């Protein structure tokens, strides 16, 4: 078994584009929005955009948010 820390940059046209893509296509985010009434959906959207605003490295209106994940490779012998 081999474990290695990896990095990935989420890149989208804008923070709003990211939220819309994840709200529409990414299961956990889609379900979170679906479980909320309209007012709370707007609150979640606002919170996500605020988080992206703190993490975004782009300065041109686009979105570049770095992330880290653990890659685990198991080789069966």
């Amino acid at each position: 078994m081999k474990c290695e820390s990896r990095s990935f940059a989420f890149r989208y046209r804008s923070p709003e584009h990211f939220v819309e893509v994840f709200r529409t296509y990414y299961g956990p985010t889609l379900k979170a929005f679906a479980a909320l009434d309209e007012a709370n959906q707007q609150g979640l959207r606002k919170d996500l955009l605020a988080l992206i605003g703190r993490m975004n490295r782009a300065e041109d209106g686009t979105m570049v948010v770095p992330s880290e994940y653990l890659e685990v490779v198991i080789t069966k012998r």
Side-chain angles (χ1 to χ4, degrees), residues 1-28:
M1 181 166 69
K2 179 181 172 186
C3 299
E4 191 169 342
S5 180
R6 300 281 190 178
S7 60
F8 176 81
F10 287 90
R11 297 175 184 272
Y12 284 83
R13 289 183 290 213
S14 66
E16 293 80 7
H17 180 236
F18 171 86
V19 171
E20 197 55 41
V21 168
F22 269 61
R23 182 179 179 167
T24 304
Y25 299 108
Y26 182 64

Side-chain angles (χ1 to χ4, degrees), residues 2-71:
K2 179 181 172 186
C3 299
E4 191 169 342
S5 180
R6 300 281 190 178
S7 60
F8 176 81
F10 287 90
R11 297 175 184 272
Y12 284 83
R13 289 183 290 213
S14 66
E16 293 80 7
H17 180 236
F18 171 86
V19 171
E20 197 55 41
V21 168
F22 269 61
R23 182 179 179 167
T24 304
Y25 299 108
Y26 182 64
T29 307
L30 185 150
K31 292 290 189 182
F33 274 96
L36 300 173
D37 62 25
E38 182 63 32
N40 285 315
Q41 286 180 13
Q42 291 304 316
L44 178 55
R45 180 180 182 281
K46 180 181 173 185
D47 289 346
L48 288 170
L49 290 172
L51 176 61
I52 292 167
R54 289 193 303 274
M55 303 300 292
N56 194 4
R57 300 296 179 251
E59 297 178 0
D60 61 358
T62 64
M63 187 193 103
V64 178
V65 173
S67 67
E68 189 174 316
Y69 65 96
L70 182 64
E71 178 184 71

